[in-house]
Amino acid sequence: MKKSNRYMILRIIGSVFMALSGVYGLSVAGFLALRALIGEASSVIGFLNNFLHLLMLPSLILLPLFAGVALLRRRAALLLLALTQIPAALTFLQTYGGLFVPRAAAGTAAFAVLTYNIHAEQNDVSQMIAVIREADADVVAVQELSEYAAEQLAAALRELYPYQALYPGSTHPTQGQGVFSRHPIVEEEYWQNKQLQPRLGHLRVLVDANGERIAFYNTHPIHPGMTGSFYNDDGRGEEIDIVLRRAAEESVPVVILGDFNMGEWSDDYARITAQFTDVYRAAGYGLGLTFPEWSRADSLPGFRARALPLPPVLRLDYVFVSGLRPVEARVWHTAGGSDHYPLLVKLGY
Protein backbone atom coordinates (compact mmCIF):
# COMPACT_ATOMS: atom_id res chain seq x y z
CA MET A 1 0.00 0.00 0.00
CA LYS A 2 1.34 3.41 -0.97
CA LYS A 3 2.24 5.87 1.73
CA SER A 4 -0.34 8.37 0.44
CA ASN A 5 -3.08 5.74 0.63
CA ARG A 6 -2.15 4.80 4.17
CA TYR A 7 -2.18 8.46 5.14
CA MET A 8 -5.63 8.90 3.60
CA ILE A 9 -6.98 5.86 5.44
CA LEU A 10 -5.57 7.14 8.72
CA ARG A 11 -7.17 10.52 8.11
CA ILE A 12 -10.52 8.90 7.42
CA ILE A 13 -10.24 6.79 10.58
CA GLY A 14 -9.29 9.89 12.56
CA SER A 15 -12.21 11.87 11.17
CA VAL A 16 -14.67 9.08 11.94
CA PHE A 17 -13.26 8.78 15.47
CA MET A 18 -13.62 12.52 16.03
CA ALA A 19 -17.16 12.54 14.66
CA LEU A 20 -18.22 9.62 16.85
CA SER A 21 -16.58 11.24 19.87
CA GLY A 22 -18.51 14.42 19.27
CA VAL A 23 -21.79 12.53 18.90
CA TYR A 24 -21.01 10.60 22.07
CA GLY A 25 -20.24 13.74 24.09
CA LEU A 26 -23.33 15.60 22.92
CA SER A 27 -25.55 12.54 23.45
CA VAL A 28 -24.45 11.99 27.04
CA ALA A 29 -24.71 15.73 27.78
CA GLY A 30 -28.22 15.73 26.30
CA PHE A 31 -29.19 12.69 28.36
CA LEU A 32 -27.92 14.30 31.57
CA ALA A 33 -29.93 17.43 30.80
CA LEU A 34 -33.07 15.43 29.99
CA ARG A 35 -32.93 13.30 33.14
CA ALA A 36 -32.44 16.47 35.20
CA LEU A 37 -35.63 17.89 33.66
CA ILE A 38 -37.99 14.92 33.70
CA GLY A 39 -36.34 12.29 35.93
CA GLU A 40 -37.60 8.77 35.32
CA ALA A 41 -40.83 9.84 33.63
CA SER A 42 -39.49 8.00 30.59
CA SER A 43 -38.82 4.26 30.85
CA VAL A 44 -35.83 4.73 28.54
CA ILE A 45 -34.28 7.16 31.02
CA GLY A 46 -35.03 4.78 33.88
CA PHE A 47 -33.31 1.95 32.03
CA LEU A 48 -30.24 3.98 31.01
CA ASN A 49 -29.87 5.32 34.55
CA ASN A 50 -28.60 1.86 35.52
CA PHE A 51 -25.69 2.21 33.10
CA LEU A 52 -24.97 5.93 33.44
CA HIS A 53 -21.67 5.37 35.23
CA LEU A 54 -20.48 3.29 32.24
CA LEU A 55 -21.82 5.79 29.70
CA MET A 56 -19.76 8.58 31.30
CA LEU A 57 -16.49 6.66 31.61
CA PRO A 58 -15.16 7.30 28.04
CA SER A 59 -15.29 11.05 28.68
CA LEU A 60 -12.48 10.68 31.24
CA ILE A 61 -10.19 9.59 28.39
CA LEU A 62 -11.58 11.73 25.57
CA LEU A 63 -11.58 15.05 27.44
CA PRO A 64 -7.85 15.16 28.27
CA LEU A 65 -7.00 13.55 24.92
CA PHE A 66 -8.71 16.17 22.78
CA ALA A 67 -7.75 19.03 25.10
CA GLY A 68 -4.09 18.00 25.05
CA VAL A 69 -3.92 17.60 21.27
CA ALA A 70 -5.80 20.88 20.77
CA LEU A 71 -3.25 22.75 22.88
CA LEU A 72 -0.33 21.16 21.03
CA ARG A 73 -1.70 21.71 17.54
CA ARG A 74 -3.82 24.79 18.19
CA ARG A 75 -6.83 23.33 16.48
CA ALA A 76 -10.18 24.82 17.42
CA ALA A 77 -12.08 21.72 16.23
CA LEU A 78 -10.29 19.52 18.76
CA LEU A 79 -10.91 22.03 21.51
CA LEU A 80 -14.61 22.01 20.61
CA LEU A 81 -14.61 18.21 20.82
CA ALA A 82 -13.01 18.45 24.26
CA LEU A 83 -15.78 20.79 25.38
CA THR A 84 -18.45 18.22 24.42
CA GLN A 85 -16.93 15.79 26.95
CA ILE A 86 -17.01 18.18 29.90
CA PRO A 87 -20.59 17.51 31.18
CA ALA A 88 -20.04 13.74 31.33
CA ALA A 89 -16.54 13.95 32.79
CA LEU A 90 -17.45 16.52 35.44
CA THR A 91 -20.61 14.63 36.45
CA PHE A 92 -18.64 11.40 36.82
CA LEU A 93 -15.88 13.05 38.86
CA GLN A 94 -18.34 14.92 41.05
CA THR A 95 -20.33 11.74 41.72
CA TYR A 96 -17.59 9.13 42.02
CA GLY A 97 -14.31 10.99 42.42
CA GLY A 98 -14.35 10.78 46.21
CA LEU A 99 -14.71 7.00 46.03
CA PHE A 100 -11.23 6.70 44.54
CA VAL A 101 -9.48 8.65 47.29
CA PRO A 102 -7.97 6.28 49.90
CA ARG A 103 -9.48 6.77 53.32
CA ALA A 104 -8.93 5.21 56.70
CA ALA A 105 -11.62 3.33 58.57
CA ALA A 106 -13.96 5.70 60.40
CA GLY A 107 -13.33 4.54 63.94
CA THR A 108 -13.83 1.13 65.50
CA ALA A 109 -16.44 -1.28 64.20
CA ALA A 110 -18.90 -2.88 66.58
CA PHE A 111 -20.14 -5.55 64.16
CA ALA A 112 -20.04 -6.64 60.53
CA VAL A 113 -22.90 -7.36 58.13
CA LEU A 114 -22.93 -9.33 54.87
CA THR A 115 -25.63 -9.18 52.20
CA TYR A 116 -25.54 -11.97 49.62
CA ASN A 117 -27.91 -12.97 46.80
CA ILE A 118 -27.27 -16.71 46.45
CA HIS A 119 -28.87 -17.18 43.05
CA ALA A 120 -31.72 -19.51 44.13
CA GLU A 121 -29.09 -22.27 44.12
CA GLN A 122 -30.56 -25.78 44.28
CA ASN A 123 -27.56 -27.99 43.53
CA ASP A 124 -24.33 -27.01 45.24
CA VAL A 125 -23.86 -24.29 47.88
CA SER A 126 -20.44 -25.40 49.15
CA GLN A 127 -18.68 -22.37 47.67
CA MET A 128 -21.33 -20.04 49.08
CA ILE A 129 -20.86 -21.54 52.52
CA ALA A 130 -17.11 -20.96 52.15
CA VAL A 131 -17.73 -17.30 51.22
CA ILE A 132 -19.93 -16.75 54.28
CA ARG A 133 -17.40 -18.43 56.56
CA GLU A 134 -14.51 -16.41 55.15
CA ALA A 135 -16.38 -13.10 55.38
CA ASP A 136 -17.02 -13.84 59.08
CA ALA A 137 -19.78 -11.25 59.50
CA ASP A 138 -21.90 -11.06 62.64
CA VAL A 139 -25.14 -10.93 60.66
CA VAL A 140 -25.63 -12.44 57.19
CA ALA A 141 -28.65 -11.64 55.03
CA VAL A 142 -29.26 -13.88 52.02
CA GLN A 143 -31.71 -13.42 49.18
CA GLU A 144 -33.08 -16.03 46.75
CA LEU A 145 -32.95 -18.78 49.35
CA SER A 146 -34.16 -22.15 48.01
CA GLU A 147 -35.32 -24.97 50.27
CA TYR A 148 -32.19 -26.93 49.39
CA ALA A 149 -29.91 -23.98 50.20
CA ALA A 150 -31.75 -23.29 53.46
CA GLU A 151 -31.24 -26.88 54.61
CA GLN A 152 -27.56 -26.96 53.64
CA LEU A 153 -26.67 -23.52 55.01
CA ALA A 154 -28.59 -24.06 58.25
CA ALA A 155 -26.62 -27.21 59.04
CA ALA A 156 -23.21 -25.98 57.88
CA LEU A 157 -23.44 -22.60 59.64
CA ARG A 158 -25.26 -23.47 62.84
CA GLU A 159 -22.11 -23.45 64.97
CA LEU A 160 -21.10 -20.00 63.67
CA TYR A 161 -24.65 -18.64 63.51
CA PRO A 162 -26.85 -20.29 66.12
CA TYR A 163 -29.69 -17.82 65.47
CA GLN A 164 -31.37 -18.26 62.11
CA ALA A 165 -34.53 -16.86 60.49
CA LEU A 166 -35.00 -18.81 57.27
CA TYR A 167 -37.93 -18.51 54.87
CA PRO A 168 -37.00 -20.44 51.74
CA GLY A 169 -38.98 -20.07 48.54
CA SER A 170 -40.72 -23.34 47.75
CA THR A 171 -42.59 -22.72 44.50
CA HIS A 172 -40.28 -19.89 43.49
CA PRO A 173 -36.81 -20.07 45.13
CA THR A 174 -36.14 -16.44 44.20
CA GLN A 175 -38.74 -15.43 46.83
CA GLY A 176 -36.76 -16.99 49.68
CA GLN A 177 -35.06 -14.84 52.33
CA GLY A 178 -32.86 -15.67 55.29
CA VAL A 179 -30.83 -14.13 58.12
CA PHE A 180 -28.02 -15.84 60.03
CA SER A 181 -26.88 -14.15 63.24
CA ARG A 182 -24.36 -14.61 66.00
CA HIS A 183 -26.67 -12.58 68.23
CA PRO A 184 -30.18 -13.53 69.35
CA ILE A 185 -33.02 -12.84 66.93
CA VAL A 186 -35.87 -11.69 69.16
CA GLU A 187 -38.43 -10.93 66.44
CA GLU A 188 -38.86 -12.04 62.84
CA GLU A 189 -41.41 -11.46 60.10
CA TYR A 190 -41.38 -12.56 56.48
CA TRP A 191 -43.81 -11.04 54.00
CA GLN A 192 -44.63 -10.71 50.35
CA ASN A 193 -46.47 -7.81 48.81
CA LYS A 194 -49.27 -9.89 47.37
CA GLN A 195 -50.86 -6.99 45.53
CA LEU A 196 -47.92 -7.20 43.12
CA GLN A 197 -47.48 -9.80 40.43
CA PRO A 198 -44.83 -11.10 40.17
CA ARG A 199 -43.42 -10.60 43.65
CA LEU A 200 -40.35 -11.48 45.68
CA GLY A 201 -39.83 -11.60 49.47
CA HIS A 202 -38.87 -9.40 52.41
CA LEU A 203 -37.73 -10.26 55.93
CA ARG A 204 -37.52 -8.13 59.08
CA VAL A 205 -35.59 -9.38 62.09
CA LEU A 206 -34.88 -7.65 65.38
CA VAL A 207 -31.42 -8.59 66.66
CA ASP A 208 -30.18 -8.13 70.21
CA ALA A 209 -26.49 -7.34 69.74
CA ASN A 210 -25.02 -7.34 73.26
CA GLY A 211 -27.94 -5.39 74.67
CA GLU A 212 -28.31 -3.09 71.65
CA ARG A 213 -31.37 -3.90 69.55
CA ILE A 214 -31.13 -3.37 65.80
CA ALA A 215 -33.85 -3.85 63.18
CA PHE A 216 -32.69 -5.50 59.96
CA TYR A 217 -34.77 -5.35 56.78
CA ASN A 218 -33.57 -7.95 54.31
CA THR A 219 -35.30 -6.73 51.18
CA HIS A 220 -35.51 -7.87 47.57
CA PRO A 221 -37.84 -5.69 45.49
CA ILE A 222 -38.85 -6.87 42.03
CA HIS A 223 -36.72 -5.65 39.17
CA PRO A 224 -38.31 -3.54 36.42
CA GLY A 225 -37.99 -6.27 33.80
CA MET A 226 -40.15 -8.76 35.75
CA THR A 227 -43.42 -7.02 34.93
CA GLY A 228 -43.50 -8.12 31.30
CA SER A 229 -42.85 -4.65 29.91
CA PHE A 230 -39.56 -3.28 28.63
CA TYR A 231 -38.85 -1.40 31.85
CA ASN A 232 -41.36 -0.52 34.55
CA ASP A 233 -40.01 0.37 37.98
CA ASP A 234 -43.38 1.11 39.62
CA GLY A 235 -43.46 -2.23 41.43
CA ARG A 236 -39.91 -1.83 42.70
CA GLY A 237 -40.74 1.65 43.96
CA GLU A 238 -43.89 0.41 45.72
CA GLU A 239 -41.96 -2.35 47.50
CA ILE A 240 -39.24 0.07 48.58
CA ASP A 241 -41.83 2.52 49.89
CA ILE A 242 -43.41 -0.24 52.00
CA VAL A 243 -40.02 -1.02 53.56
CA LEU A 244 -39.36 2.66 54.20
CA ARG A 245 -42.75 3.11 55.88
CA ARG A 246 -42.12 0.10 58.14
CA ALA A 247 -38.61 1.28 58.97
CA ALA A 248 -39.87 4.75 59.86
CA GLU A 249 -41.86 3.20 62.73
CA GLU A 250 -38.75 1.72 64.38
CA SER A 251 -37.44 3.20 67.62
CA VAL A 252 -34.05 1.44 67.29
CA PRO A 253 -31.20 1.68 64.75
CA VAL A 254 -32.16 0.29 61.34
CA VAL A 255 -30.24 -1.61 58.67
CA ILE A 256 -31.92 -2.02 55.27
CA LEU A 257 -29.94 -4.34 53.04
CA GLY A 258 -30.25 -6.73 50.13
CA ASP A 259 -30.51 -6.94 46.38
CA PHE A 260 -32.50 -3.82 45.45
CA ASN A 261 -32.53 -4.35 41.68
CA MET A 262 -31.79 -0.64 41.23
CA GLY A 263 -28.95 1.65 40.25
CA GLU A 264 -27.86 4.61 42.32
CA TRP A 265 -29.09 7.09 39.68
CA SER A 266 -32.66 5.93 40.18
CA ASP A 267 -35.40 7.90 41.91
CA ASP A 268 -35.85 4.96 44.29
CA TYR A 269 -32.24 5.26 45.43
CA ALA A 270 -32.70 8.99 45.99
CA ARG A 271 -35.76 8.34 48.14
CA ILE A 272 -33.88 5.84 50.32
CA THR A 273 -30.81 8.03 50.79
CA ALA A 274 -32.98 10.98 51.77
CA GLN A 275 -33.59 9.04 55.00
CA PHE A 276 -30.75 6.51 55.27
CA THR A 277 -26.99 6.46 54.75
CA ASP A 278 -25.56 4.35 51.92
CA VAL A 279 -22.75 2.57 53.76
CA TYR A 280 -20.67 1.87 50.67
CA ARG A 281 -20.86 5.50 49.60
CA ALA A 282 -19.77 6.56 53.07
CA ALA A 283 -17.00 4.03 53.66
CA GLY A 284 -16.24 2.12 50.45
CA TYR A 285 -13.57 2.45 47.76
CA GLY A 286 -14.32 2.32 44.03
CA LEU A 287 -17.65 1.97 42.24
CA GLY A 288 -18.88 -0.96 44.35
CA LEU A 289 -20.23 -2.94 41.40
CA THR A 290 -21.77 -6.29 42.38
CA PHE A 291 -23.48 -7.75 39.29
CA PRO A 292 -23.05 -9.89 37.27
CA GLU A 293 -20.45 -12.53 37.97
CA TRP A 294 -19.40 -13.71 34.51
CA SER A 295 -16.77 -16.36 35.19
CA ARG A 296 -19.15 -19.31 35.47
CA ALA A 297 -21.43 -20.03 32.54
CA ASP A 298 -24.09 -21.49 34.86
CA SER A 299 -24.27 -18.41 37.06
CA LEU A 300 -26.42 -16.52 34.55
CA PRO A 301 -28.62 -19.13 32.90
CA GLY A 302 -31.24 -16.62 31.88
CA PHE A 303 -28.65 -14.76 29.83
CA ARG A 304 -27.25 -17.89 28.16
CA ALA A 305 -23.92 -16.60 29.38
CA ARG A 306 -20.55 -17.94 28.48
CA ALA A 307 -17.75 -17.93 31.03
CA LEU A 308 -16.05 -14.57 30.50
CA PRO A 309 -13.25 -12.91 32.51
CA LEU A 310 -15.18 -9.65 32.85
CA PRO A 311 -15.78 -7.44 35.89
CA PRO A 312 -19.30 -6.69 37.18
CA VAL A 313 -20.98 -3.68 35.58
CA LEU A 314 -23.93 -2.85 37.87
CA ARG A 315 -24.36 -1.94 41.51
CA LEU A 316 -27.49 -3.70 42.75
CA ASP A 317 -26.61 -4.74 46.32
CA TYR A 318 -26.68 -2.19 49.14
CA VAL A 319 -26.61 -1.66 52.87
CA PHE A 320 -28.38 1.45 54.19
CA VAL A 321 -28.34 2.49 57.86
CA SER A 322 -29.96 4.88 60.28
CA GLY A 323 -28.70 5.38 63.82
CA LEU A 324 -25.43 3.56 63.02
CA ARG A 325 -22.02 4.71 61.81
CA PRO A 326 -20.45 3.34 58.60
CA VAL A 327 -16.88 2.20 59.26
CA GLU A 328 -15.84 0.07 56.27
CA ALA A 329 -17.44 -1.39 53.14
CA ARG A 330 -16.21 -3.64 50.37
CA VAL A 331 -17.48 -5.91 47.66
CA TRP A 332 -16.32 -9.45 48.38
CA HIS A 333 -13.63 -10.77 46.06
CA THR A 334 -15.57 -13.85 44.92
CA ALA A 335 -19.23 -14.62 44.26
CA GLY A 336 -19.04 -18.28 45.23
CA GLY A 337 -21.00 -19.41 42.19
CA SER A 338 -23.72 -16.78 42.49
CA ASP A 339 -24.42 -14.10 39.89
CA HIS A 340 -24.02 -11.42 42.60
CA TYR A 341 -20.90 -10.54 44.56
CA PRO A 342 -21.60 -10.22 48.31
CA LEU A 343 -21.21 -6.88 50.04
CA LEU A 344 -19.53 -6.77 53.46
CA VAL A 345 -19.84 -3.71 55.69
CA LYS A 346 -18.65 -2.86 59.18
CA LEU A 347 -20.70 -0.59 61.42
CA GLY A 348 -20.32 1.25 64.69
CA TYR A 349 -22.66 2.93 67.14
Side-chain angles (χ1 to χ4, degrees), residues 25 181 262 295:
S181 176
M262 71 177 182
S295 67

Side-chain angles (χ1 to χ4, degrees), residues 31 35 40 43 45-54 56 95-96 221-225 231-233 236-237 240 258-273 278 280-281 287-291 313-320 340:
F31 176 78
R35 73 176 299 278
E40 290 181 334
S43 60
I45 291 178
F47 174 75
L48 291 177
N49 273 341
N50 296 294
F51 304 95
L52 188 50
H53 56 292
L54 300 178
M56 294 187 293
T95 306
Y96 300 109
I222 60 174
H223 64 73
Y231 192 90
N232 185 339
D233 58 15
R236 182 186 70 193
I240 287 172
D259 170 11
F260 285 75
N261 284 312
M262 71 177 182
E264 60 183 301
W265 290 91
S266 66
D267 292 346
D268 290 334
Y269 176 86
R271 256 191 345 277
I272 297 172
T273 52
D278 178 348
Y280 192 87
R281 273 286 187 167
L287 295 178
L289 307 178
T290 60
F291 179 88
V313 297
L314 297 175
R315 184 178 179 219
L316 301 182
D317 303 86
Y318 301 83
V319 177
F320 301 99
H340 288 250

Side-chain angles (χ1 to χ4, degrees), residues 2-3 9 69 83 94 102 109 111 126 147 161-162 168 172 191 244 256 268 291 295 299 322 332 341 347:
K2 293 183 178 179
K3 185 176 181 180
I9 291 173
V69 177
L83 293 175
Q94 181 182 18
F111 61 96
S126 57
E147 290 184 328
Y161 300 104
H172 302 288
W191 81 92
L244 290 176
I256 304 177
D268 290 334
F291 179 88
S295 67
S299 69
S322 175
W332 201 248
Y341 287 86
L347 304 169

Side-chain angles (χ1 to χ4, degrees), residues 36-249:
L37 289 172
I38 66 174
E40 290 181 334
S42 163
S43 60
V44 174
I45 291 178
F47 174 75
L48 291 177
N49 273 341
N50 296 294
F51 304 95
L52 188 50
H53 56 292
L54 300 178
L55 295 176
M56 294 187 293
L57 270 176
S59 67
L60 300 181
I61 299 173
L62 295 174
L63 174 59
L65 174 65
F66 287 127
V69 177
L71 290 174
L72 288 174
R73 299 191 177 185
R74 298 181 181 180
R75 292 183 60 180
L78 289 171
L79 183 58
L80 183 62
L81 279 173
L83 293 175
T84 65
Q85 313 302 320
I86 288 178
L90 286 184
T91 302
F92 185 94
L93 291 173
Q94 181 182 18
T95 306
Y96 300 109
L99 291 171
F100 292 91
V101 177
R103 47 189 168 184
T108 303
F111 61 96
V113 177
L114 184 78
T115 179
Y116 191 7
N117 181 318
I118 60 172
H119 189 234
E121 184 60 53
Q122 301 184 73
N123 296 306
D124 180 12
V125 294
S126 57
Q127 292 184 62
M128 296 172 182
I129 291 170
V131 165
I132 293 171
R133 286 183 175 277
E134 185 184 0
D136 196 32
D138 296 284
V139 177
V140 179
V142 297
Q143 303 86 45
E144 299 195 10
L145 180 67
S146 69
E147 290 184 328
Y148 168 81
E151 180 182 346
Q152 297 297 310
L153 268 64
L157 299 174
R158 190 165 301 281
E159 185 177 347
L160 272 178
Y161 300 104
Y163 306 99
Q164 303 178 357
L166 306 181
Y167 294 83
S170 53
T171 306
H172 302 288
T174 53
Q175 296 175 344
Q177 298 281 86
V179 170
F180 299 85
S181 176
R182 285 198 171 104
H183 305 290
I185 295 174
V186 296
E187 292 179 11
E188 59 186 85
E189 178 190 4
Y190 172 86
W191 81 92
Q192 294 178 333
N193 298 314
K194 295 185 178 180
Q195 73 276 21
L196 298 176
Q197 194 62 251
R199 57 182 179 267
L200 295 174
H202 307 269
L203 174 61
R204 174 194 178 269
V205 299
L206 186 64
V207 173
D208 188 334
N210 300 318
E212 296 284 347
R213 294 199 169 188
I214 303 166
F216 288 83
Y217 285 82
N218 181 11
T219 189
H220 191 197
I222 60 174
H223 64 73
M226 290 178 68
T227 58
S229 62
F230 160 66
Y231 192 90
N232 185 339
D233 58 15
D234 291 344
R236 182 186 70 193
E238 185 175 345
E239 295 215 89
I240 287 172
D241 285 341
I242 290 169
V243 171
L244 290 176
R245 285 198 297 270
R246 286 175 172 248
E249 298 175 356

